[in-house]
């Protein structure tokens, strides 16, 4: 695969996946196209050697895998890749309707560690999952996406806040409700009625009787794009961490299927991963238990396995270079970053990082390393949680980026393809334990 084709597909995936639900739906479409079979957790499974399968939980987490053979599992383990499907954002509250000064606005809840200032003055739309009752009384869920800009959070003019450039802070309750429309004095608008209309327009054949509940997020309608005089950057929302989901998916699809390989993409990383479908929940383990039910055999498989946990890293920002350790400042477009933290905020150890360096050399991709400044707190990701949950040797890596958790993030346009090459090499590698 050429890097320009990879990047084109990545930009489309980012733009068409405004929520974790849409990301999982788009990933399952690509898996289906490649011949992967869907497995339902509630059904009995009949899996066979050479088969390719995927399982979805809650519409927001996914496990997809290639089964080489039981013998390969026992002697060579499973090549695992992990990423997360969720991104920090503003979610619509359950009773969101606000009417102030003739404007209809929505109450919003902050999901995860949102960088709030960049959400102002953007052309916002709404997307998510809606659960409804149809005319026969049956409950169903469907995804909705308004696509066009329907909301905005306008800034306060500088003339009304002269100190804004020195000390602007954002009060999430007061400052964030977006404006959706103007209303007459006694006109009452209802979010569920709006959603009912939206659902009917997206699914004309569905007999919607009543919207019960929803998980809706605001998102920026500006599509993902290449930026820079030489197009050396990718600008988009949700680079953290849909970029890694896409890398893992493409690597799994490109692998030669001589090894057992698996991709897990979990929801709820941005809020600590503790949920039925999060990395702290039992989703991945329950899939592994069904593939290899005998505990002793499964332990043997896991001892031979390796997890590549992918989540973006902080590139050293030229205007704020002192926020990085002088010897560990990853640069955009200089390759994937190995993330190391002795206090186990990252699961990397010297053997897992050595294996990653060895794979990078094999495919002629440079790599970098990141350690947080000794006087600053370190972030974390699904790597240590998964390693702690199933006992697999793990490395935390990621593409370096700027503006993590902003509504518009920036990464290098060569790094995603580079990490994809390394991940594919991992999937096809015969031996993954030092
Ligand atoms: Zn992340």
């Amino acid at each position: 695969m050429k890097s320009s084709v990879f990047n084109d597909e990545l930009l489309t995936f980012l733009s068409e996946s405004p929520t974790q639900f849409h990301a999982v739906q788009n990933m399952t479409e690509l898996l289906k196209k490649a011949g992967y079979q869907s497995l339902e957790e509630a059904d009995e499974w009949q899996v066979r050697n050479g088969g390719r399968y995927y399982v979805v939980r809650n519409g927001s987490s996914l496990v997809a895998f290639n089964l080489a053979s039981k013998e390969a599992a026992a002697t060579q383990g499973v090549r695992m890749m992990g990423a997360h499907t969720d991104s920090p954002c503003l979610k619509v509250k359950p009773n969101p309707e606000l009417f102030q000064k003739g404007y209809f606005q929505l109450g919003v809840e902050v999901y995860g560690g949102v960088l709030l200032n960049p959400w102002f003055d953007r052309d916002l739309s709404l997307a998510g999952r809606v659960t409804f009752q149809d005319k026969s009384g049956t409950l169903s869920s469907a995804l909705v996406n308004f696509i066009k800009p329907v909301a905005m959070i306008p800034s306060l003019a500088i003339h009304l806040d002269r100190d804004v450039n020195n000390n602007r802070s954002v009060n999430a309750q007061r400052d964030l409700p977006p404006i959706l429309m103007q209303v007459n004095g006694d006109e009452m608008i209802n979010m569920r009625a709006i959603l009912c209309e939206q659902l009917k327009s997206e699914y004309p054949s569905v007999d919607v009787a009543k919207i019960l509940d929803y998980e809706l997020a605001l998102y920026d309608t500006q599509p993902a794009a290449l930026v820079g005089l030489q197009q050396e950057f990718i600008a988009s929302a949700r680079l953290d961490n849909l970029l890694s989901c896409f890398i893992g998916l493409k690597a799994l699809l490109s692998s030669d299927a001589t090894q057992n390989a698996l991709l897990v993409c979990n929801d709820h990383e941005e809020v600590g991963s503790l949920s039925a479908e999060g990395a702290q929940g039992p989703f991945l383990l329950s899939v592994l238990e069904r593939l290899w039910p005998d505990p002793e055999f499964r332990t043997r498989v896991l001892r031979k396995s390796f997890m590549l946990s992918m989540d973006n890293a902080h590139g050293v920002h030229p205007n704020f270079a002192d926020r990085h350790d002088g010897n560990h400042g990853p640069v955009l477009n200089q390759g994937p970053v190995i993330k190391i933290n002795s206090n186990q905020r990252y699961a990397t150890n010297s053997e897992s990082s050595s294996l990653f360096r060895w794979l990078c050399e094999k495919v002629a991709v440079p790599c970098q390393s990141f350690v947080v400044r000794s006087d600053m707190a370190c972030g974390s990701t699904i790597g240590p949680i998964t390693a702690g949950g199933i006992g697999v040797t793990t490395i935390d890596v990621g593409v370096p980026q700027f503006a993590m958790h902003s509504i518009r993030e920036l990464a290098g346009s060569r790094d995603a393809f580079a990490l994809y090459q390394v991940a594919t090499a991992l999937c096809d590698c015969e031996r993954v334990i030092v």
Side-chain angles (χ1 to χ4, degrees):
M1 170 172 246
K2 274 175 55 184
S3 69
S4 56
V5 176
F6 179 92
N7 276 346
D8 283 349
E9 290 181 17
L10 170 62
L11 296 185
T12 305
F13 176 71
L14 291 165
S15 302
E16 291 181 356
S17 305
T19 71
Q20 70 273 51
F21 301 113
H22 292 83
V24 167
Q25 187 182 55
N26 291 331
M27 283 193 274
T28 59
E29 289 300 324
L30 292 170
L31 287 162
K32 266 189 255 173
K33 245 193 219 165
Y36 282 70
Q37 254 173 277
S38 163
L39 295 171
E40 290 293 331
E41 285 198 277
D43 293 347
E44 211 175 298
W45 290 3
Q46 305 284 351
V47 295
R48 51 175 180 79
N49 290 346
R52 299 172 157 223
Y53 305 93
Y54 69 88
V55 199
V56 169
R57 185 178 280 196
N58 185 45
S60 64
S61 290
L62 167 108
V63 176
F65 50 93
N66 303 337
L67 288 181
S69 66
K70 194 174 171 186
E71 302 72 61
T75 58
Q76 288 156 317
V78 186
R79 286 85 187 95
M80 300 188 190
M81 297 172 287
H84 66 87
T85 57
D86 60 321
S87 302
C89 63
L90 304 182
K91 298 208 174 190
V92 180
K93 289 182 175 177
N95 299 323
E97 298 86 358
L98 300 171
F99 300 91
Q100 306 187 84
K101 302 285 175 195
Y103 297 95
F104 171 58
Q105 296 173 265
L106 291 179
V108 290
E109 193 184 6
V110 178
Y111 175 80
V114 179
L115 198 54
L116 290 174
N117 275 306
W119 279 77
F120 288 81
D121 311 323
R122 297 276 174 167
D123 304 356
L124 302 174
S125 191
L126 284 165
R129 176 173 70 179
V130 178
T131 302
F132 60 95
Q133 199 175 328
D134 68 15
K135 298 242 160 88
S136 71
T138 313
L139 293 188
S140 310
S141 291
L143 303 194
V144 295
N145 185 355
F146 284 68
I147 296 176
K148 63 181 182 197
V150 294
M152 188 171 273
I153 312 169
S155 292
L156 183 62
I158 192 165
H159 317 81
L160 305 179
D161 185 4
R162 291 285 180 191
D163 269 348
V164 65
N165 288 331
N166 297 323
N167 46 25
R168 179 184 184 187
S169 63
V170 178
N171 179 302
Q173 174 69 19
R174 185 196 59 206
D175 303 344
L176 291 180
I179 294 173
L180 278 84
M181 66 185 288
Q182 286 190 292
V183 287
N184 297 326
D186 52 355
E187 203 180 346
M188 293 310 273
I189 315 274
N190 178 296
M191 193 59 207
R192 282 172 176 75
I194 295 172
L195 282 173
C196 196
E197 287 309 307
Q198 181 65 23
L199 207 53
K200 284 176 183 166
S201 76
E202 289 191 50
Y203 306 91
S205 60
V206 175
D207 245 350
V208 189
K210 195 171 156 191
I211 304 290
L212 295 167
D213 266 312
Y214 53 79
E215 288 173 52
L216 274 187
L218 289 156
Y219 73 92
D220 187 0
T221 53
Q222 186 177 6
L226 291 175
V227 173
L229 276 178
Q230 297 177 323
Q231 307 277 276
E232 58 268 76
F233 306 114
I234 292 178
S236 174
R238 305 173 296 281
L239 288 176
D240 172 17
N241 191 18
L242 293 187
L243 180 139
S244 304
C245 291
F246 187 76
I247 291 171
L249 182 75
K250 286 307 235 184
L252 189 72
L253 295 179
S254 305
S255 67
D256 62 14
T258 52
Q259 305 296 329
N260 290 290
L262 178 149
L263 168 70
V264 56
C265 294
N266 285 115
D267 193 1
H268 295 141
E269 189 272 349
E270 298 294 356
V271 291
S273 293
L274 185 56
S275 70
E277 51 280 351
Q280 274 205 67
F283 184 34
L284 175 61
L285 182 60
S286 96
V287 171
L288 297 173
E289 282 172 346
R290 295 177 77 165
L291 295 180
W292 299 291
D294 178 65
E296 188 190 328
F297 185 80
R298 196 169 57 249
T299 301
R300 287 171 56 203
V301 171
L302 284 168
R303 284 304 350 120
K304 298 272 183 181
S305 299
F306 186 85
M307 162 70 82
L308 179 68
S309 160
M310 294 180 283
D311 199 353
N312 294 353
H314 299 296
V316 59
H317 191 310
N319 302 352
F320 307 94
D322 63 341
R323 299 303 165 98
H324 276 72
D325 178 282
N327 286 355
H328 301 90
V331 177
L332 271 55
N333 283 319
Q334 291 193 10
V337 179
I338 299 171
K339 304 193 237 176
I340 300 138
N341 181 256
S342 301
N343 298 300
Q344 299 305 305
R345 302 286 290 164
Y346 298 128
T348 309
N349 65 34
S350 60
E351 291 192 338
S352 60
S353 64
S354 298
L355 179 90
F356 187 79
R357 286 180 192 281
W358 177 77
L359 287 167
C360 285
E361 263 179 40
K362 243 176 126 170
V363 292
V365 159
C367 72
Q368 319 181 62
S369 56
F370 172 78
V371 181
V372 76
R373 276 181 65 108
S374 303
D375 53 3
M376 280 172 75
C378 186
S380 192
T381 179
I382 61 163
I385 295 168
T386 310
I390 63 171
V392 66
T393 302
T394 300
I395 180 169
D396 277 302
V397 301
V399 160
Q401 70 157 103
F402 295 143
M404 193 176 283
H405 294 190
S406 170
I407 197 168
R408 192 91 176 154
E409 302 174 323
L410 198 70
S413 59
R414 295 198 289 278
D415 291 325
F417 185 72
L419 182 51
Y420 152 77
Q421 289 175 293
V422 186
T424 309
L426 171 72
C427 289
D428 296 341
C429 183
E430 264 180 45
R431 190 183 151 83
V432 290
I433 293 300
V434 176

